[in-house]
Amino acid sequence: MEAFLHQLFSGLATGGIYAALALALVMIYQSTHHINFAQGEMAMFSTYLAWTFIDAGVPYWIAFVATVGVSFVLGVIIERVVVRPVEHAPVLSVVIVFIALLVILNSVAGWIYSYTIKTFPSPFEWEAVRNPYLAPHEIGTVGVTVVVLLLLYAFFRYTSLGLAMRAAAQNPVSSRLAGIRVGWMLALGWGLAAAIGAIAGMMIAPVVYLDPNMMSGIMLYAFAAALLGGIDNPIGAVIGGFVVGVVENLAGAYVVGTELKLTVALVLIIGVLLFKPSGLFGRRYVTRV
Amino acid sequence: MGTLLEVKDLHAGYGPTDVLRGVGFAVTEGGITTILGANGAGKTTLLRAVCGLVRRRGYVHFAGEAIESRVTEDIVRLGLAHVPDGRGTFTMLSTEENLRVGAITRRDRKAVEQDMARMYGYFPRLAERRAQQAGTLSGGEQQMLAIARALMLRPKLLVLDEPSFGLAPLVVQDIFRIMRTVNREEKVSILLVEQNARLALELADTAYLLETGQVALSGAAADLRNDETVRAAYLGY
Ligand SMILES: Nc1ncnc2c1ncn2[C@@H]1O[C@H](COP(=O)(O)OP(=O)(O)O)[C@@H](O)[C@H]1O
Ligand SMILES: [Mg+2]
């Protein structure tokens, strides 16, 4: 029972990371109708930035905040420079641009930092909370992701800028007619997605270690989470993230074994696409004509 | 009375072809101008051209500023609110959020709250549906919402594209009554494109008849009401 609870709780901890990344995917999807295949590599790159700061002796939480800020700006720049020019291009061209971005970020990280695996510190080394169910880093991760998700919720729900971003994603023409600068809202969306990715990367890096390919497996789970929750539903994606985290961990421990855990993500993705393409919480469009 | 919106020799269209070929018209300050014309005459294109949603070329002055090469967002911020063809509802937002989007460029928070209450006064149906997802509102309610959303900008000019389209006669009466109130009491000028020529000519002071991208006839609304061709083609008596 203790072992089971341990698997369940640590599933929630990684699930929080999948939830955050899935949310970043959904945010971009809602405003562009494209899946950002480079999301994981953006997060990886941000994590290297954090490592650089920490390696230079910057205290962890200052490095954390700086990384989030720099990642936000980089996300905005990526939207303006890379994504904007292909705004009206065919889907395939956009996918190729995203893949190119993925490959470039991956190689640049490898070139700067080499492909050797690095360790990444956890800020949660509290001996006081040691217990059989959850490691301190897992508790910290859950805390950080929950705070991030609540902040995002409050931002989109209660601020004027959040409302403008939701409006712009939903109906660009009506938004322009209300005076909203839609282009900037998209860029802000990319900035936020990059910032969320940065946090997810810094939280997972102590577990999977830092290397240019660290996010490939994790992104697979995040895609599964986003699809499971409904690719256009932010709350669904978050729930999907936690579900995928728990299922992954339990299946890894009791069903398929850790070596085959990644197949769980693939099975989920294929299962959702086959049987419920709009996801569990996919939007039923309620519109009267 | 000054001129709020003046358009001369306007050409506009989609892709390489021009739909409008040298259109001119005006809206006076505090006035109501209506533009009539058959389906496909170019009325919607004309309204889109004024607020920069389609490619256009010509002379467009609004509130003393040249706007023919400004982007839509900036034109709107000058005080031009456009109720688009098809209503442009933010279907996934609530009724109240739709209204807030209409006022999103404003910084006078208190006045925004007052205007919100005023809109619920004009359209009590919207007050009942305050928290409801706007996509679930009926066609008439969505039209009211579109007008209320536009008014939340506190515009100098309210531009409406066929607000009566597909609505029950009682709802149409309601909407026209509120347009008149807004015009008289809040001094909002109106540019109205309408398929219901009779109602439009009753409300407006000035009217233009658009045929295949050009102005075929213009004058005081009262004169057009008595014009033989307008009667035969648009009023049906
Ligand atoms: N998005 C568009 N792309 C290409 N042509 C269009 C578009 N919208 C309208 N048109 C054409 O422009 C002409 C005028 O249309 P429109 O302005 O909608 O007329 P109205 O509003 O008077 O019915 C029509 O011939 C129509 O086919
Ligand atoms: Mg039309």
Side-chain angles (χ1 to χ4, degrees):
Chain A
M1 189 62 198
E2 199 171 277
F4 176 81
L5 283 180
H6 170 71
Q7 293 299 342
L8 184 70
F9 288 140
S10 55
L12 286 177
T14 35
I17 289 176
Y18 303 152
L21 288 167
L23 186 63
L25 289 174
V26 167
M27 280 171 47
I28 302 286
Y29 184 84
Q30 280 188 316
S31 50
T32 62
H33 294 279
H34 292 297
I35 293 185
N36 177 14
F37 291 106
Q39 179 73 52
E41 307 310 286
M42 285 164 57
M44 172 275 295
F45 207 87
S46 298
T47 313
Y48 269 109
L49 281 178
W51 180 86
T52 310
F53 288 134
I54 294 168
D55 196 48
V58 178
Y60 183 91
W61 288 110
I62 295 175
F64 180 94
V65 171
T67 301
V68 171
V70 172
S71 302
F72 178 87
V73 174
L74 287 178
V76 169
I77 292 174
I78 286 178
E79 199 279 341
R80 292 259 125 174
V81 177
V82 182
V83 183
R84 181 67 48 90
V86 293
E87 198 175 13
H88 301 293
V91 177
L92 202 55
S93 318
V94 181
V95 171
I96 289 171
V97 166
F98 285 172
I99 305 264
L101 188 60
L102 181 161
V103 173
I104 291 170
L105 286 173
N106 190 289
S107 339
V108 171
W111 177 59
I112 300 178
Y113 298 103
S114 91
Y115 285 88
T116 345
I117 291 170
K118 294 179 165 55
T119 55
F120 191 89
S122 165
F124 311 109
E125 302 289 357
W126 316 306
E127 284 310 312
V129 296
R130 230 170 247 302
N131 63 74
Y133 303 114
L134 264 181
H137 180 72
E138 289 174 322
I139 297 175
T141 300
V142 171
V144 167
T145 41
V146 167
V147 167
V148 167
L149 294 174
L150 288 178
L151 283 177
L152 283 170
Y153 180 79
F155 170 74
F156 282 111
R157 192 82 176 71
Y158 299 112
T159 72
S160 187
L161 186 58
L163 179 62
M165 288 179 69
R166 281 193 290 151
Q170 226 180 81
N171 193 333
V173 173
S174 284
S175 297
R176 294 181 64 196
L177 287 175
I180 296 172
R181 302 197 191 282
V182 172
W184 275 110
M185 295 305 120
L186 293 186
L188 283 183
W190 275 80
L192 274 183
I196 296 170
I199 296 174
M202 288 184 281
M203 287 299 113
I204 200 75
V207 183
V208 299
Y209 301 109
L210 185 55
D211 86 292
N213 300 316
M214 64 182 269
M215 296 305 280
S216 53
I218 291 155
M219 278 321 288
L220 209 52
Y221 291 117
F223 285 127
L227 284 173
L228 185 67
I231 187 69
D232 56 2
N233 184 333
I235 295 178
V238 169
I239 298 173
F242 284 106
V243 170
V244 168
V246 169
V247 168
E248 174 223 349
N249 246 38
L250 293 183
Y254 300 110
V255 188
V256 293
T258 26
E259 295 81 4
L260 283 176
K261 266 201 321 193
L262 262 185
T263 23
V264 175
L266 283 174
V267 167
L268 272 174
I269 290 176
I270 292 167
V272 171
L273 288 180
L274 276 181
F275 298 110
K276 200 143 186 340
S278 62
L280 294 183
F281 311 96
R283 203 152 266 169
R284 291 185 305 279
Y285 282 92
V286 273
T287 315
R288 274 200 226 168
V289 185
Chain B
M1 234 185 317
T3 306
L4 179 63
L5 176 70
E6 187 167 27
V7 174
K8 288 182 205 160
D9 196 31
L10 180 65
H11 294 256
Y14 312 87
T17 45
D18 274 354
V19 172
L20 303 182
R21 297 168 295 138
V23 174
F25 71 96
V27 183
T28 55
E29 258 165 50
I32 302 181
T33 292
T34 185
I35 293 177
L36 307 174
N39 250 335
K43 305 181 298 295
T44 295
T45 307
L46 179 61
L47 299 189
R48 288 188 183 145
V50 166
C51 61
L53 286 175
V54 297
R55 172 182 62 72
R56 80 278 203 217
R57 162 171 61 82
Y59 174 99
V60 187
H61 269 228
F62 173 67
E65 308 227 18
I67 59 166
E68 62 268 354
S69 45
R70 298 266 189 106
V71 296
T72 305
E73 298 87 311
D74 291 334
I75 296 172
V76 169
R77 283 158 192 254
L78 289 173
L80 188 154
H82 184 157
V83 180
D85 185 32
R87 299 162 195 146
T89 310
F90 295 95
T91 52
M92 307 301 300
L93 301 184
S94 70
T95 299
E96 178 134 339
E97 285 173 331
N98 268 266
L99 294 182
R100 290 197 185 282
V101 171
I104 211 145
T105 55
R106 292 173 54 183
R107 290 290 160 262
D108 46 344
R109 281 168 182 250
K110 264 211 190 108
V112 168
E113 297 310 314
Q114 285 166 5
D115 285 353
M116 192 94 87
R118 204 157 44 82
M119 291 310 137
Y120 289 139
Y122 284 152
F123 304 106
R125 294 266 283 282
L126 295 184
E128 290 164 27
R129 310 234 181 287
R130 200 183 289 242
Q132 201 169 317
Q133 203 181 358
T136 65
L137 268 54
S138 73
E141 289 162 349
Q142 288 195 34
Q143 188 63 57
M144 295 175 194
L145 180 58
I147 295 173
R149 196 178 69 223
L151 288 173
M152 287 301 291
L153 183 74
R154 281 231 178 145
K156 298 188 179 82
L157 179 67
L158 181 64
V159 175
L160 301 116
D161 195 347
E162 305 213 12
S164 77
F165 187 79
L167 303 186
L170 275 178
V171 179
V172 174
Q173 269 183 27
D174 236 24
I175 285 176
F176 271 72
R177 181 176 52 74
I178 282 154
M179 280 195 267
R180 181 168 280 131
T181 310
V182 164
N183 174 253
R184 286 207 185 135
E185 289 172 15
E186 297 173 38
K187 309 284 174 263
V188 177
S189 311
I190 293 177
L191 172 59
L192 171 69
V193 159
E194 218 353 288
Q195 35 144 15
N196 189 330
R198 199 154 52 84
L199 274 178
L201 287 172
E202 272 170 25
L203 182 74
D205 51 68
T206 312
Y208 295 79
L209 182 60
L210 202 63
E211 271 176 11
T212 57
Q214 287 179 314
V215 174
L217 194 65
S218 67
D223 294 341
L224 255 73
R225 213 160 29 207
N226 297 319
D227 186 275
E228 280 306 319
T229 46
V230 174
R231 275 195 168 191
Y234 299 99
L235 298 173
Y237 56 84

